[in-house]
Amino acid sequence: MQWKSLVLGLLLLRLGLHGALWLAFGLGPSMGFYQRFPISFGLQNLKGIEGRAASSAPPYWLGAPGVRGPQPSRRTPAEQSSRPEKGPGTPEPPGPGMCPKSYWASLLGGWAPGGGVDEYERRYSSAFPPQLRAQMRDLARGMFAFGYDNYMAHAFPEDELNPIHCRGRGPDRGNPSNVNINDVLGNYSLTLVDALDTLAIMGNSSEFQKAVKLVINTVSFDKDSTVQVFEATIRVLGSLLSAHRIITDSEQPFGDMTIKDYDNELLHMARDLALRLLPAFENTKTGIPYPRVNLKSGVPPDSNNETCTAGAGSLLVEFGILSRLLGDSTFEWVARRAVKALWNLRSNYTGLLGNVINIQTGTWVGRQSGLGAGLDSFYEYLLKSYILFGEDDDLEMFNAAYRSIQTFLRRGRRACNEGEGDPPLYVNVNMFSGQMMNTWIDSLQAFFPGLQILIGDVENAICLHAFYYAIWKRFGALPERYNWQLQVPETPFYPLRPELVESTYLLYQATKNPFYLHVGMDILQSLEKHTKVKCGYATLHHVIEKSKEDRMESFFLSETCKYLYLLFDEENPVHQSGNGYMFTTEGHIISVDKYLRNSPWKKSLSEEEVGEHQEEKMSRSKPLELKVNTSGLNCNRIPDERRYSLPLKSIYMRQIDQMVGLI
Ligand code: DMJ
């Protein structure tokens, strides 16, 4: 009978704990009380019926004067990078030689102090054994190999693989206005070119060498294809430059990736392509390039004068590398002029840029400012250009942009891992007023936590990533657009995009928290389950119905598979200190070295200065250590990877899961 009262006692204790949590915060493990509620950043009262009624009121910034709510954050990035506190389930660090029960229990099974089982602790902060990591790494490699081999067997030399019907796909010649296809597919074996450095990163030297030779011998840019300047730059030009650097690297960290009798052919090809893109920068009054060019004949006569900010303003990394490798300033000069022109047209009040601009008049046609489509890589390349080239202007622009983002786009509570209110989210606003324009976020924005990692704003990165991961958990994919107020996908397709995996990988590198390995495993498994088809991986047409489209975009191999593989490949040369690599926006690796900091046309940076800049950069971008429980090393029977608590307190993780309607 004694055990019965013990069980009853525990049950009552647990009910009591849940009740207390629920009353105190409106949070707690789901016991069937909860209704889904829309996010209103401080408006929703989670206490029962009242909460549901309140949640239908418009959010405060949409015009509910006098309603209290969190103000857009005005903290500086430095202030926001404070270290998260220990989670509620974090075990007390044991004293020397002793390991309290709660400590062991929490590490081994997720029993939170106080007796309640914390499902988040149990699910995510347990160990990720090396064998499982190796299994996941092999799964990611297999995923790449399946897509790549099928592309080579059924699609090459065409641009993309149609994975359902096992066929190749090139530009849509019958419908030139089909920009969804024609912007990207230039009839230049896109998937093969885009995949080159992934082969090297996976250590497959024979296939890398074969693929490079194929590219040299069969790919030509002398094609009657009208492509988007941005897409051709990041997918093709960037990949050629990355592979060229891998081939010519005297260290050869990935194994022997040299090519016999290599005569800089990939660099010459990159120059040829860039020269064909240059007409986009001519006859534009602002210096902002036309969005598209025909590779043979230049800017089409009927060309659109409108371009998106990311498309026009994120060419500097690839164009800058090309210029510095060739000693020819032209490419960097035009790309830099475009960035400056866009930057000078930002709002005086918010400091924000819109998403679409007229390249002749400099008028903003799209006044929406956000972190996703149309703007994403613009911010990314301000920072990455600085990391690569060390030009202070780029860092200054990035810092100013980041301040505006934190001030006008970020909503929700100040700190992510403590306090009351909604978890932070970055919304879309009018660039001139800062007023919110809609209630959706897009899947492209999921790259942003990765960028926050690069500047050391780890806490914000953890929180935003958690939001996207919650959406992923709900649908097994990320819808292209998700309405966070209605809790529904607004644009329901998922074209195998990499952004969430990219952030997951960078967060893992910064924190080494096994939570991110669990996230990666989850993503890997849902990709296998929902997108694998006869000859590859297919775009999800609808994330709820899981219906498919017969398309596998090239970034699936060049980014999604690469980041998944790197996440689990602890020993990869990319991570080894001394090999400083940076990823382009298409996931191509570029080693950060002094060579790229020399601009022969600008002798202002002496070697010494370059050295100083490097140190400065390193101190700025040094990720914060989030490892906790180091004192737990006394309990040396627990392997190291078990010594972490959740990166985001489970109470907040649960709150986010509720906000996306997951629980
Ligand atoms: C990639 O081509 C690049 O990452 C780009 O910056 C935008 N996103 C796509 C993949 O989603």
Side-chain angles (χ1 to χ4, degrees):
M1 287 315 275
Q2 225 179 2
W3 66 269
K4 276 192 182 163
S5 13
L6 200 68
V7 169
L8 195 67
L10 279 174
L11 207 69
L12 284 173
L13 194 68
R14 187 176 175 195
L15 276 172
L17 182 75
H18 290 176
L21 273 175
W22 188 66
L23 282 173
F25 304 109
L27 294 170
S30 174
M31 297 173 73
F33 305 147
Y34 303 111
Q35 300 291 320
R36 289 180 181 177
F37 57 87
I39 303 170
S40 58
F41 291 113
L43 273 184
Q44 78 270 25
N45 176 345
L46 301 183
K47 286 179 191 153
I49 304 288
E50 253 177 79
R52 288 193 286 281
S55 67
S56 58
Y60 72 99
W61 59 85
L62 279 182
V67 179
R68 262 189 66 241
Q71 296 303 310
S73 166
R74 291 187 187 269
R75 295 195 320 154
T76 63
E79 285 169 333
Q80 285 165 357
S81 61
S82 57
R83 186 180 175 128
E85 286 182 351
K86 287 198 310 162
T90 307
E92 284 304 311
M98 54 185 234
C99 297
K101 248 188 187 167
S102 63
Y103 176 75
W104 291 109
S106 175
L107 286 171
L108 295 168
W111 286 86
V117 172
D118 186 308
E119 60 185 277
Y120 288 85
E121 287 283 346
R122 189 180 51 216
R123 208 182 311 158
Y124 298 120
S125 57
S126 60
F128 204 93
Q131 307 90 296
L132 185 58
R133 186 162 28 206
Q135 222 178 307
M136 291 302 119
R137 182 200 58 208
D138 294 348
L139 198 58
R141 187 205 293 268
M143 182 175 264
F144 173 84
F146 188 62
Y148 178 82
D149 290 347
N150 273 296
Y151 164 78
M152 292 308 289
H154 303 289
F156 176 79
E158 291 194 73
D159 287 307
E160 278 181 1
L161 169 71
N162 286 356
I164 297 176
H165 288 101
C166 309
R167 305 197 35 178
R169 180 202 283 272
D172 186 353
R173 301 287 190 216
N175 181 9
S177 62
N178 184 0
V179 287
N180 187 28
I181 296 293
N182 293 331
D183 272 0
V184 180
L185 279 59
N187 193 15
Y188 37 38
S189 304
L190 174 69
T191 301
L192 175 67
V193 176
D194 214 358
L196 291 177
D197 67 323
T198 313
L199 290 166
I201 285 172
M202 293 186 176
N204 190 343
S205 63
S206 57
E207 195 56 44
F208 175 78
Q209 289 161 340
K210 198 170 134 194
V212 167
K213 284 180 198 154
L214 260 184
V215 169
I216 292 172
N217 295 328
T218 67
V219 174
S220 156
F221 300 121
D222 192 26
K223 296 281 166 68
D224 183 17
S225 302
T226 299
V227 293
Q228 205 191 71
V229 176
F230 170 73
E231 295 292 359
T233 299
I234 64 166
R235 299 200 200 201
V236 184
L237 186 58
S239 186
L240 294 172
L241 293 170
S242 169
H244 168 74
R245 298 286 287 159
I246 290 169
I247 295 164
T248 54
D249 185 345
S250 56
E251 304 285 322
Q252 290 296 303
F254 302 104
D256 181 13
M257 300 293 158
T258 56
I259 305 287
K260 197 166 174 285
D261 300 326
Y262 182 69
D263 193 16
N264 297 320
E265 284 90 344
L266 295 187
L267 183 60
H268 293 307
M269 289 179 75
R271 179 172 176 272
D272 176 39
L273 175 60
L275 286 173
R276 291 169 191 275
L277 300 178
L278 277 187
F281 297 86
E282 290 161 17
N283 304 317
T284 138
K285 292 199 181 115
T286 57
I288 301 168
Y290 283 93
R292 299 181 178 86
V293 291
N294 182 288
L295 293 177
K296 256 185 194 298
S297 55
V299 177
D302 59 347
S303 182
N304 197 338
N305 277 329
E306 290 167 11
T307 189
C308 75
T309 306
S314 356
L315 307 166
L316 186 51
V317 164
E318 288 81 3
F319 276 48
I321 295 170
L322 183 64
S323 270
R324 286 165 194 244
L325 289 177
L326 294 173
D328 174 355
S329 64
T330 314
F331 306 102
E332 179 167 340
W333 190 82
V334 291
R336 205 170 268 291
R337 183 181 59 163
V339 174
K340 290 270 163 68
L342 285 161
W343 183 248
N344 291 337
L345 290 163
R346 70 195 184 282
S347 156
N348 288 335
Y349 170 58
T350 64
L352 296 170
L353 292 83
N355 56 352
V356 181
I357 196 158
N358 184 304
I359 65 163
Q360 303 299 0
T361 62
T363 314
W364 289 103
V365 182
R367 295 171 169 215
Q368 180 176 303
S369 199
L371 298 180
L375 278 149
D376 49 355
S377 49
F378 177 77
Y379 303 120
E380 180 184 356
Y381 269 21
L382 292 178
L383 183 65
K384 291 189 173 175
S385 297
Y386 173 72
I387 292 173
L388 271 187
F389 308 131
E391 305 277 354
D392 291 337
D393 275 9
D394 296 331
L395 182 64
E396 275 158 32
M397 284 189 280
F398 176 80
N399 282 338
Y402 197 74
R403 275 194 298 275
S404 295
I405 287 167
Q406 294 301 95
T407 306
F408 292 100
L409 304 188
R410 189 185 184 282
R411 305 293 159 100
R413 65 172 171 260
R414 283 184 142 219
C416 154
N417 229 350
E418 61 185 27
E420 288 179 33
D422 297 311
L425 197 61
Y426 293 82
V427 300
N428 298 314
V429 304
N430 180 301
M431 64 175 281
F432 294 111
S433 65
Q435 289 284 314
M436 200 173 74
M437 287 181 78
N438 48 50
T439 56
W440 52 259
I441 49 175
D442 66 20
S443 70
L444 290 168
Q445 199 200 99
F447 90 100
F448 200 70
L451 196 61
Q452 292 179 310
I453 286 298
L454 288 191
I455 54 164
D457 191 356
V458 182
E459 177 169 336
N460 273 309
I462 286 170
C463 218
L464 184 58
H465 173 274
F467 205 94
Y468 275 98
Y469 178 48
I471 302 173
W472 182 285
K473 278 189 290 184
R474 184 169 160 203
F475 301 108
L478 279 189
E480 189 71 352
R481 273 187 194 173
Y482 172 78
N483 189 315
W484 46 260
Q485 191 166 55
L486 302 176
Q487 298 182 322
V488 291
E490 203 161 287
T491 308
F493 70 88
Y494 170 65
L496 308 169
R497 286 196 191 283
E499 284 75 9
L500 181 62
V501 189
E502 175 185 351
S503 291
T504 306
Y505 162 68
L506 290 164
L507 268 153
Y508 180 66
Q509 287 304 316
T511 65
K512 292 288 169 176
N513 191 310
F515 169 76
Y516 297 104
L517 298 176
H518 288 278
V519 173
M521 180 164 73
D522 202 0
I523 293 174
L524 201 47
Q525 287 170 341
S526 32
L527 284 172
E528 283 291 325
K529 185 169 168 202
H530 303 306
T531 70
K532 191 169 187 177
V533 291
K534 192 174 168 202
C535 289
Y537 294 83
T539 291
L540 279 186
H541 178 68
H542 200 294
V543 294
I544 297 174
E545 294 158 8
K546 307 287 187 292
S547 48
K548 296 177 183 66
E549 286 175 27
D550 200 4
R551 187 167 185 198
M552 186 177 88
E553 291 238 28
S554 66
F555 52 65
F556 176 68
L557 298 184
S558 74
E559 292 193 80
T560 313
C561 293
K562 179 188 288 156
Y563 286 124
L564 278 169
Y565 178 81
L566 284 174
L567 174 66
F568 295 108
D569 191 30
E570 196 80 7
E571 311 305 325
N572 198 282
V574 167
H575 311 136
Q576 280 159 23
S577 58
N579 298 336
Y581 287 103
M582 196 195 77
F583 295 91
T584 70
T585 192
E586 185 71 4
H588 298 305
I589 52 162
I590 292 291
S591 53
V592 183
D593 56 39
K594 286 184 181 173
Y595 191 65
L596 289 175
R597 289 179 167 228
N598 288 332
S599 40
W601 53 91
K602 191 178 161 205
K603 294 279 180 204
S604 63
L605 286 178
S606 70
E607 280 299 294
E608 247 172 47
E609 282 172 320
V610 168
E612 280 165 22
H613 278 268
Q614 178 73 14
E615 269 170 33
E616 198 184 321
K617 185 213 82 188
M618 295 307 286
S619 64
R620 276 201 188 101
S621 63
K622 191 168 178 253
L624 294 181
E625 278 283 315
L626 283 189
K627 291 179 189 174
V628 292
N629 266 330
T630 43
S631 52
L633 288 172
N634 295 316
C635 305
N636 55 16
R637 278 169 294 164
I638 294 283
D640 272 354
E641 65 256 30
R642 284 194 174 181
R643 298 185 193 284
Y644 311 114
S645 68
L646 289 172
L648 181 64
K649 289 177 184 172
S650 54
I651 193 168
Y652 295 125
M653 216 181 273
R654 181 171 294 113
Q655 186 186 12
I656 289 175
D657 281 357
Q658 283 182 315
M659 285 181 165
V660 303
L662 187 68
I663 53 175

